[in-house]
Amino acid sequence: MGGNNNPWFSLEFLRDPGQRQAFIHSTMEHIELTAVSVALGFILAFALALMVRRYPRFEGLIVGAADTIYSVPSIALFSLLLPFTGLSMVGPIIGLVLYTQLILVRAILDGLRSVPASAVEAAEGLGYGGVRRLLTVEMPLALPTIFGGARVATVSTVGQVIAAFALSHGGLGETLTVGYSNNLYKQEVVDAVVGIIVIALAFDVLILVIGKLVTRWNRIGRGATS
Amino acid sequence: MTFAEGHIAAGGAGEPGQQPAISLRDVRKQYGTGSFAVDGITLDIHRGELVCFVGPSGCGKTTTLKMINRLIEPTSGTILVDGTNVTLQRRVDLRRSIGYVIQQIGLFPHESVRANVSAVPRLLGWSRHKQRERADEMLRLVGLDPDRFGSRYPGELSGGQQQRVGVARALAADPPVLLMDEPFSALDPIARGKLQKEFIRIQCDLHKTIVMVTHDIDEAILMADRIAIFRDAAKLEQYDSPAAILSNPATSFVREFVGTERSAQSLGRATLGPDDLGRPLEVVVSGGLERASGADRHAGEDPVPSTVDLDEVVMALGADGRVVGWSTRDHVGGTGDLRGRIRPLESTVPIGSTLSDAMSRILDGDCPLLAVVQPDTQRYIGVLTLPLLHAAFRRSVAALRQPGRGSDDAVAHSYAKDVTVVGRQ
């Protein structure tokens, strides 16, 4: 690699302490933005899903709004947020959280709807209160679907973070754009892309494994009757 | 208390002074401003009784059942469980005190069998140790080895095994009342037959007050102490013991509804065998004690009771082995002349008669007992009461449901056991 000044892929530039610092910082920021946004997004989506369950007439409105937001290009959305949030982390997080809603609200609703009606009726008949039934019967049974949605939402968020460079918090998106504007510095660009892919895969596998662990019951076939 | 005696309480008016376990008073359910799903039902269910609600679909039987644990709120009327108005209790407290079994079983797929069974104890805040102990006890009760099945998930069980767990779960907190909504109808015929019989055995031990909805009159006849036959909007057509409904349908609707089923016909085909009879204490009386004199002397003293406890009955036989009459232990106890203390027993039926003949003899006579005799010699063999007749009848229905294996199945054994207990003690 030494002969070539600008190879496609090399970790050469990371030897420089300053560069390395910047790359690690970007990576950590990328992971942080993704994790925080998905976590907050999940809380918001859960609240919205419960609202839809309680007041079904809001479903069209909420899913429609999430749909509309999702169709706004991310750079445009972040730029729109700039006047309100400045260059703090709040801006990208708000944007990323909004993007997760389309997938997460639907996943939670679908998950809750996939719970066998018989289990719900039995829980009610045995004397489970509403909250307990939701937390100990319906949510656990909705988890396989919800985890599926969480994987898609997380991987998609890893991609969306890049556009947050518009608010100077783009994680590896920062590295990418800097490398790009820096005379198409291939090494930096490709390293950033590889980093993003690795982060996405790591999140995906992590959520997959957690999901399998908490829904072990789902791996054995559901019985003939139920 | 034996199963047979349960029938006595059920067939009669219930023990006086004891409030019914469940009492519905003019209960109505109306959806919106439309027609009534249940239009004013009034009915009592006694403690320890298994009552089946039977009727065509849409007759309001399930709605009525679900109003008892307030899964459906009545529009008007009163429902008392154990004397307490259900609408005055918190819904969750009410439901935790009433077992509930549904057709779709409804086990929680994400919980182990053991965790499923201890659902209500968990809600009631029992200690973990007690929950586990109770769950294992319940699993054994329904015929599942807790070591083998306790930590499995419901999805690993067959339908029949799952509903056993469903029954165990409903019984776990030892509720006095159990509601069952077509509990066995989703199972294949073999699993259903087995579970029905085992459930009868469990009920013999536990004496729960049970309300069971079914569309299957055969099932109702096999299992119920009393059957409530519903018509549109929960109009009660007849509420009586299985044998009484079959032998004496109150309306043409009942006759049609019941008459199409095989079990109704089996009453006319099945015959009385020695195992069907009760064998109370016998005394041989001799010399000059004739039926007529007994009858004369006894007339006007006590009214003939409508039900008897076979443990208390004493049969008086002549030296020739024929029946002279009967009495109770209090009457013949002590010393002295037995004359005047023995009631005559006019009605006899030869062994080998059809159950329906025996039934009409019992219903026609004013005596709660029927002596069963040898057809040729008229020698006494044993006695028959309505409960014993029910048992014999159910045995024939059970045999009918499982051709070729009926005679030596579990139910037959359990009935036979009860009959012996009643007869010999």
Side-chain angles (χ1 to χ4, degrees):
Chain A
M1 278 177 223
N4 192 339
N5 250 354
N6 189 8
W8 277 101
F9 179 75
S10 162
L11 297 176
E12 197 66 23
F13 80 103
L14 291 181
R15 285 175 188 253
D16 173 63
Q19 295 269 36
R20 187 167 65 227
Q21 206 67 39
F23 190 83
I24 290 173
H25 174 262
S26 294
T27 306
M28 294 314 289
E29 187 180 64
H30 209 114
I31 292 171
E32 189 187 343
L33 279 172
T34 305
V36 170
S37 303
V38 172
L40 291 177
F42 191 83
I43 293 170
L44 179 62
F46 191 59
L48 290 174
L50 288 188
M51 195 170 115
V52 167
R53 221 166 79 112
R54 188 84 187 255
Y55 308 102
R57 63 205 153 98
F58 284 126
E59 177 166 4
L61 184 73
I62 288 172
V63 175
D67 213 3
T68 310
I69 293 171
Y70 201 77
S71 69
V72 177
S74 37
I75 296 183
L77 181 68
F78 289 128
S79 306
L80 281 172
L81 286 168
L82 185 59
F84 304 102
T85 61
L87 291 179
S88 70
M89 288 275 262
V90 178
I93 288 174
I94 289 178
L96 294 169
V97 165
L98 290 177
Y99 278 129
T100 57
Q101 295 309 291
L102 181 66
I103 296 162
L104 289 181
V105 171
R106 281 206 173 142
I108 295 171
L109 282 176
D110 288 350
L112 290 175
R113 282 173 188 150
S114 74
V115 175
S118 60
V120 176
E121 194 199 334
E124 211 183 346
L126 292 172
Y128 281 67
V131 176
R132 192 195 298 260
R133 196 181 75 213
L134 178 72
L135 294 181
T136 66
V137 178
E138 293 177 79
M139 280 304 285
L141 291 175
L143 281 182
T145 312
I146 293 176
F147 267 100
R151 284 174 65 193
V152 177
T154 309
V155 171
S156 130
T157 301
V158 172
Q160 308 273 18
V161 169
I162 300 167
F165 77 85
L167 296 176
S168 303
H169 286 288
L172 287 173
E174 216 74 19
T175 319
L176 193 74
T177 32
V178 169
Y180 192 74
S181 51
N182 195 3
N183 253 338
L184 195 57
Y185 184 36
K186 283 188 286 187
Q187 204 183 117
E188 214 169 1
V189 172
V190 176
D191 284 359
V193 170
V194 169
I196 290 166
I197 294 172
V198 169
I199 291 172
L201 284 177
F203 268 120
D204 199 34
V205 170
L206 181 73
I207 297 173
L208 179 75
V209 169
I210 294 174
K212 289 282 178 207
L213 285 179
V214 299
T215 61
R216 256 178 311 169
W217 55 272
N218 198 37
R219 263 185 287 173
I220 45 108
R222 299 197 188 196
T225 37
S226 70
Chain B
M1 178 154 132
T2 67
F3 195 54
E5 283 165 332
H7 276 283
I8 295 175
E15 288 163 48
Q18 204 188 28
Q19 65 189 6
I22 300 172
S23 180
L24 308 183
R25 289 283 168 270
D26 199 28
V27 174
R28 284 164 211 273
K29 177 66 193 181
Q30 187 178 23
Y31 288 104
T33 53
S35 58
F36 284 93
V38 172
D39 194 3
I41 185 170
T42 294
L43 144 160
D44 282 343
I45 294 159
H46 302 303
R47 229 164 284 277
E49 191 177 28
L50 195 163
V51 167
C52 278
F53 289 177
V54 190
S57 52
C59 69
K61 54 189 194 290
T62 299
T63 307
T64 306
L65 181 90
K66 288 184 172 177
M67 285 194 286
I68 297 174
N69 67 356
R70 290 178 68 198
L71 283 172
I72 295 176
E73 292 287 350
T75 309
S76 69
T78 315
I79 299 174
L80 305 177
V81 172
D82 246 336
T84 313
N85 191 331
V86 293
T87 52
L88 299 180
Q89 301 176 55
R90 279 178 67 212
R91 264 188 223 128
V92 290
D93 291 338
L94 175 75
R95 291 175 191 156
R96 287 170 196 176
S97 70
I98 296 178
Y100 190 52
V101 182
I102 56 176
Q103 179 183 358
Q104 305 79 9
I105 305 175
L107 296 183
F108 305 136
H110 61 298
E111 290 181 357
S112 71
V113 164
R114 199 175 269 122
N116 264 283
V117 174
S118 40
V120 181
R122 197 163 58 231
L123 296 181
L124 294 173
W126 293 18
S127 71
R128 272 165 184 262
H129 175 72
K130 214 173 140 201
Q131 282 180 31
R132 193 191 161 96
E133 216 168 52
R134 183 70 179 166
D136 287 3
E137 185 191 339
M138 287 298 104
L139 286 173
R140 275 190 289 270
L141 180 74
V142 298
L144 294 175
D145 177 5
D147 296 328
R148 222 179 119 203
F149 292 98
S151 48
R152 293 199 192 174
Y153 286 111
E156 295 171 283
L157 270 51
S158 72
Q161 289 168 336
Q162 287 188 27
Q163 191 57 300
R164 282 165 197 264
V165 178
V167 170
R169 178 174 68 174
L171 291 171
D174 202 17
V177 173
L178 205 58
L179 305 180
M180 306 177 88
D181 189 1
E182 307 231 12
F184 308 122
S185 47
L187 307 176
D188 66 84
I190 291 171
R192 187 191 312 148
K194 267 170 79 177
L195 217 57
Q196 284 169 338
K197 284 163 195 165
E198 283 192 46
F199 190 77
I200 292 171
R201 168 185 62 78
I202 291 170
Q203 168 64 355
C204 285
D205 294 340
L206 300 183
H207 309 295
K208 300 290 181 190
T209 304
I210 300 172
V211 186
M212 181 169 131
V213 163
T214 174
H215 60 263
D216 177 359
I217 185 77
D218 277 336
E219 180 172 79
I221 288 164
L222 179 68
M223 306 192 69
D225 295 308
R226 279 199 290 173
I227 299 176
I229 297 192
F230 284 56
R231 201 175 169 175
D232 324 316
K235 183 178 174 299
L236 206 50
E237 289 282 307
Q238 190 169 7
Y239 184 30
D240 214 331
S241 69
I245 281 178
L246 288 172
S247 57
N248 195 9
T251 65
S252 56
F253 176 84
V254 174
R255 192 174 308 117
E256 248 172 70
F257 190 76
V258 166
T260 53
E261 302 295 330
R262 292 172 302 169
S263 48
Q265 295 148 18
S266 81
L267 195 62
R269 252 187 270 124
T271 55
L272 211 51
D275 289 345
D276 300 328
L277 310 181
R279 296 200 167 75
L281 198 68
E282 297 163 16
V283 292
V284 176
V285 294
S286 53
L289 188 69
E290 291 169 7
R291 290 175 196 204
S293 68
D296 287 343
R297 297 286 296 273
H298 220 293
E301 279 181 23
D302 300 316
V304 180
S306 59
T307 60
V308 287
D309 180 355
L310 281 186
D311 292 354
E312 292 300 312
V313 166
V314 178
M315 295 300 296
L317 306 180
D320 57 356
R322 296 192 186 194
V323 182
V324 173
W326 68 285
S327 190
T328 54
R329 289 189 188 208
D330 338 335
H331 276 93
V332 296
T335 54
D337 197 349
L338 281 180
R339 237 175 282 214
R341 289 194 258 165
I342 292 179
R343 296 172 192 274
L345 191 57
E346 303 285 349
S347 33
T348 61
V349 64
I351 194 139
S353 304
T354 64
L355 296 184
S356 101
D357 279 351
M359 170 78 68
S360 51
R361 290 283 174 88
I362 289 193
L363 293 176
D364 289 349
D366 55 358
C367 179
L369 285 178
L370 199 58
V372 182
V373 298
Q374 293 285 4
D376 41 357
T377 62
Q378 299 291 308
R379 285 177 73 94
Y380 165 82
I381 302 169
V383 300
L384 198 62
T385 60
L386 259 184
L388 288 172
L389 193 61
H390 287 174
F393 174 56
R394 286 177 180 194
R395 214 167 353 158
S396 78
V397 173
L400 203 73
R401 293 174 71 90
Q402 282 201 334
R405 345 180 359 194
S407 60
D408 59 356
D409 58 33
V411 183
H413 281 306
S414 75
Y415 283 132
K417 195 183 79 201
D418 283 331
V419 168
T420 332
V421 169
V422 171
R424 291 221 179 112
Q425 274 178 357

